[in-house]
Amino acid sequence: MMNKQRVKTLFGILAVAAIGVGGVDAATVTWQGGVSADWTTGANWDPATAPGAADDVLIDGAGTYQPTLDLASGGVTVQSLSLGANNASTLTLANGDAGTKKLTIGGDCAIGGNGTLTHAANTTGESNKLNLAVAGNLTIVSGGAIDVAGRGYTAGNGPGAGGGNWGASHGGVGGRHNGSDPKPPYGSIAAPVALGSGGSGTGADGGGAVLIEVAGLLTNGGTITADGKANTGTLGGGGAGGAIALACGSLSGNGTLSANGGAPTAGWQGGGAGGRIAVTVTNGGSFGSIVMRAFGAIGFVSPNPTEDRGAAAGTIYLKKQGDTHGTLLVDNNSHARPYATVLTNGTFQFDSLIATNAGLAEVGGNATLDMSAGTIACSTNSRLIVGAGQLSLGSSHTLSNAIVSFKGTNAVTWNTSLTLGPNGVLTHEANNTTEAN
């Protein structure tokens, strides 16, 4: 009969053997790119096998081809990824989606100063998105980029597509030179996944979609960009900004997040609307010094750019540890535009709503904005517009440093004890030739 000491020794030997096998299986696999761009071709790597789940992946500019990882058959996992630490390197994800077709990193991911992570371009449908899950930390240093600008819907395509001489919509409403009114906004505020719609004209493609989950620290010292592109012709409109959705344990850095609309530079055109950005920090109370932009683009009436053909801002949603409903920020970079950032079709509740720098937030059709437990703040050139939807303020509300403006002629009833505090203003939208407001 085997005694206890012999059993312990046997298990110890088995454990060491198991560790040894794991050590043999795991390796640093370096991209060589001498055969093709195909990630799965072993001859493109050193050693000559495609990376597995236990492998550390190094991509640093070698070879004739830059790698493309095709996720059409499902998600791919590696242990770690280093991209562009010393030499220009681009990793392209193809056929990713908002579900399981993603790149998963079991440890840390580092995008160096010469590294770019992107997804393949789309055309008429949502075929490609950048979906990245990192179990450790994600670091993007200065010069490093996650860049899907102009990789959304192509010109004339998407739910908010431009046409004639107007720009595309997404988080906000596109700008209009003439012709039909731009299409309404679409997509989620708190969990955006949709591509930016294409504008009208040559090259006016919408921004792509970046969806990132990081269990640990996300440090962004570089750029994450999902901007729309401009029409390079003279008649048309810009593409809309795309989507950036980040969820992380904690956040630091002084880099940028950008989902701006495409800005025309000639002719007679409307600007592209801003896209949607959402950042959720689960274990921290700070968003670092990250600069976030979802600006609507200026329009153009030859020979000059013009604000009244410009587009509305997109949405920026921020939620940190301890928040109940998060903050909605509508910021249009101090450029006053005729269109607002409209909330439609649903009930929306925030801890705070901030309209600033000429940002116009509007409660639109089939929407209820519930601020019964939240605050509204507006700078002097910004406001919250109560349009076809409903604004709920709870049983008691003090409106300070905010402007609430009514659109239309329908009566509004609030079952609330309302106090107008310092710089609290109730007004209505301006009229023109009829009593519209």
Side-chain angles (χ1 to χ4, degrees), residues 163-167 175-182 236 268 270 309 339:
N165 293 332
W166 69 89
R176 171 183 176 272
H177 171 65
N178 59 23
S180 300
D181 286 331
W268 296 265
R309 267 59 168 187
Y339 292 106

Side-chain angles (χ1 to χ4, degrees), residues 133-146:
V134 181
N137 302 319
L138 170 61
T139 302
I140 308 169
V141 305
S142 178
I146 296 176

